[in-house]
Amino acid sequence: MAFLNSLPARGDLVELRLGPLRAWMVCHPELVHRMLMDPRTFDKGGSQYDRLRALMGDGLVTCRQEAHRRQRTMLQPDFRASRVADYTQLMGEEAESVCRAWRAGQRIDVSAAMMALTTKVTSRVLLSDSLDDARAAQIRRALGTIVRGLFVRTVVPVDAPFRLPTPANRRYRRAVDRLHAVIDSVIAERRRGTPRDDVLGTLLAAARDGGEDAAVTEQEVHDQLITLLITGVETTALCMASAFSLLAQHPETERHLHSEVDTVLDERRPGLDDLSRLTYTRSAVTETLRHSPPGWLFTRVTTRETELAGRRIPRGATVLYSPYLLHHDPASFPDPELFLPERWLPGSERTTAAQHRAMLPFATGSRKCIGDTFAMAEATVAVATISGHWRLRHPPGPVGQPRPAVTLGPRSLPMICEPRSRIPVGTPPRARSLAPRTTVTSRTQDPRTAGDNGVDDA
């Protein structure tokens, strides 16, 4: 990450040597916008997407530009803002379920808990109630293994190392096979059952109806579900885990968020009308995406010779951009390492139009993440719901920095549960110290009960 952050000083477009290959890193937000708004010239490709296609097939995220519009048009209605609002209650139910069994002083793996949460939410949106607890747990464990093994497969340009029967390669292959098998079993069951109003229902209806040039094959139904599961579960889980980690490191920010949650929700689950009122909570989620974007590095491939920043870029060249780099460039965001949700409050003088342009956690243009509104709503609801019940504390000692893989975020985040004491923002420090507190004794979670607390070995 330090290397990434050093690149803007070398220019707006920096040539990199990746072994025998050349690539270009786009470091200026306006050039990134230009690239993303021209997907026919800068198409999805490169080793990153080639390897992702081997896992996801030719779904919405990995397909080439010529196939994208049809796929996007088919799936977009399931992710429009009005539909996402209908999922608010579902998101709150699952967030409450994950933290319901936590106990004062309990040490939990927040990353695993958030993976459990996003797996349940995403599977319910995609598949209604087609996944039982056992299959949901299988998907969660498989995704954890896949994500750990995927990054090296996207950056190493040869396949030979991954054909060797090493323990890591065998674990990865088993996880991929398990994920595909579970999805195939759900699709087969639903084909025999009653149609339902969910994403799988949309795909199956399109497969039945077809069209002159737009028939959806059985393989595409499978590929789209795999794509939406992989991209919808882990990235949002990492965002939420990073948010709780950052809040614990910034007590004043945490107090402001807790005060808003107490005022807006008053110990109830978030409802349809609460999302617009949780402005500070949403700003904290947005600042988390700026500070620690799960999607931190992406590639494009030029389909023709073109010009960028006064440089000639040949056809077939790999062009990279990094939301992490853009979000941490002091030219766009002063004090980029600070966690300041106030940057994003409505009417804030901290954030200019140019800074909004530099903020690209979901990309932009026609290939902008289809689930951006959904992910923001899910993270906001989950952070508010859990924060209404618990304060999460880091154990004593230094807080580990997340290491980049195919995504960026804490793979394992041990934190300690502390019951909330509701103290209004602005209370003087001495009055806070005299307020009643719940005394807790830290204990390590019994691994025999981990599954009952929304945490497993994922």
Side-chain angles (χ1 to χ4, degrees):
M1 304 320 248
F3 171 73
L4 269 182
N5 288 339
S6 73
L7 295 179
R10 297 176 176 268
D12 294 341
L13 183 68
V14 181
E15 184 177 342
L16 306 175
R17 296 284 184 176
L18 305 176
L21 306 177
R22 289 192 302 169
W24 284 262
M25 176 68 76
V26 186
C27 299
H28 194 284
E30 291 303 324
L31 291 178
V32 173
H33 275 269
R34 176 181 161 187
M35 177 179 70
L36 295 179
M37 297 301 289
D38 185 9
R40 296 197 177 278
T41 301
F42 300 93
D43 202 354
K44 287 200 173 182
S47 62
Q48 182 184 44
Y49 287 104
D50 292 342
R51 300 299 171 82
L52 286 174
R53 286 188 190 99
L55 171 63
M56 300 180 185
D58 204 28
L60 185 67
V61 170
T62 55
C63 69
R64 296 289 187 178
Q65 182 60 25
E66 61 266 17
H68 177 259
R69 183 174 182 179
R70 176 186 63 80
Q71 296 189 21
R72 181 89 180 205
T73 301
M74 174 179 61
L75 291 170
Q76 188 66 63
D78 288 302
F79 293 93
R80 62 182 184 270
S82 59
R83 189 66 184 270
V84 169
D86 294 338
Y87 299 140
T88 304
Q89 182 175 353
L90 177 158
M91 294 167 178
E93 288 174 1
E94 294 298 349
E96 208 168 60
S97 174
V98 163
C99 70
R100 184 180 296 126
W102 295 353
R103 296 292 177 263
Q106 180 180 359
R107 187 183 180 112
I108 62 166
D109 184 341
V110 175
S111 296
M114 296 305 100
M115 277 286 285
L117 167 57
T118 55
T119 300
K120 290 177 181 178
V121 171
T122 304
S123 62
R124 285 181 65 181
V125 170
L126 298 183
L127 313 168
S128 295
D129 57 354
S130 299
L131 278 185
D132 54 29
D133 289 343
R135 287 195 291 192
Q138 281 185 311
I139 286 180
R140 193 165 63 249
R141 286 191 289 267
L143 287 176
T145 302
I146 289 168
V147 169
R148 283 192 292 271
L150 192 55
F151 180 58
V152 67
R153 288 167 169 78
T154 63
V155 297
V156 175
V158 293
D159 290 324
F162 310 116
R163 299 195 194 105
L164 300 174
T166 64
N169 285 343
R170 289 198 300 268
R171 282 194 300 272
Y172 180 85
R173 189 70 256 166
R174 284 196 301 268
V176 170
D177 292 343
R178 190 181 306 120
L179 179 63
H180 285 277
V182 170
I183 294 303
D184 282 338
S185 70
V186 171
I187 294 172
E189 290 171 9
R190 285 287 294 277
R191 285 188 184 280
R192 298 191 296 266
T194 304
R196 300 187 189 182
D197 185 19
D198 56 17
V199 175
L200 177 53
T202 297
L203 290 167
L204 291 177
R208 286 192 300 269
D209 297 341
E212 291 183 6
D213 300 309
V216 175
T217 65
E218 291 189 13
Q219 185 61 48
E220 184 179 338
V221 173
H222 174 98
D223 291 350
Q224 298 292 8
L225 288 180
I226 292 288
T227 294
L228 294 171
L229 266 175
I230 290 176
T231 57
V233 168
E234 208 238 358
T235 51
T236 309
L238 289 177
C239 171
M240 294 189 295
S242 294
F244 284 116
S245 178
L246 289 165
L247 287 167
Q249 296 172 65
H250 298 81
E252 191 65 21
T253 297
E254 183 186 57
R255 285 201 317 114
H256 277 282
L257 186 144
H258 287 170
S259 179
E260 176 182 85
V261 167
D262 296 344
T263 302
V264 173
L265 301 183
D266 193 23
E267 301 189 58
R268 61 179 173 80
R269 189 183 301 152
L272 181 62
D273 298 327
D274 293 320
L275 274 176
S276 61
R277 301 169 61 204
L278 292 166
T279 54
Y280 196 86
T281 307
R282 184 181 179 88
S283 295
V285 171
T286 303
E287 178 68 350
T288 300
L289 288 170
R290 185 203 64 80
H291 186 279
S292 303
W296 65 282
L297 182 67
F298 298 98
T299 62
R300 294 292 189 268
V301 168
T302 53
T303 59
R304 61 181 178 86
E305 182 177 307
T306 189
E307 175 273 331
L308 195 63
R311 301 278 296 277
R312 187 187 68 83
I313 308 295
R315 180 179 183 274
T318 296
V319 183
L320 303 96
Y321 80 96
S322 169
Y324 184 93
L325 181 155
L326 298 177
H327 299 176
H328 285 257
D329 186 352
S332 293
F333 297 100
D335 301 315
E337 297 305 321
L338 296 184
F339 179 64
L340 298 172
E342 290 77 12
R343 297 181 203 264
W344 308 105
L345 290 175
S348 172
E349 297 180 357
R350 290 177 177 269
T351 309
T352 65
Q355 289 169 327
H356 279 283
R357 295 273 290 175
M359 180 70 175
L360 288 169
F362 300 109
T364 191
S366 64
R367 302 303 293 258
K368 184 179 183 181
C369 174
I370 195 172
D372 58 340
T373 303
F374 182 93
M376 284 299 301
E378 183 180 10
T380 302
V381 168
V383 170
T385 300
I386 294 171
S387 295
H389 298 284
W390 298 101
R391 172 177 285 109
L392 297 175
R393 288 281 176 256
H394 286 291
V399 178
Q401 296 301 307
R403 295 178 61 187
V406 70
T407 47
L408 176 68
R411 260 68 201 173
S412 178
L413 179 64
M415 298 188 79
I416 297 169
C417 298
E418 178 181 309
R420 283 285 318 286
S421 57
R422 288 168 170 74
I423 304 170
V425 168
T427 303
R430 177 168 172 75
R432 291 202 303 271
S433 69
L434 297 176
R437 291 181 176 271
T438 303
T439 302
V440 299
T441 303
S442 177
R443 63 180 176 85
T444 300
Q445 180 176 311
D446 186 340
R448 294 171 297 181
T449 63
D452 298 329
N453 293 310
V455 181
D456 65 11
D457 61 353

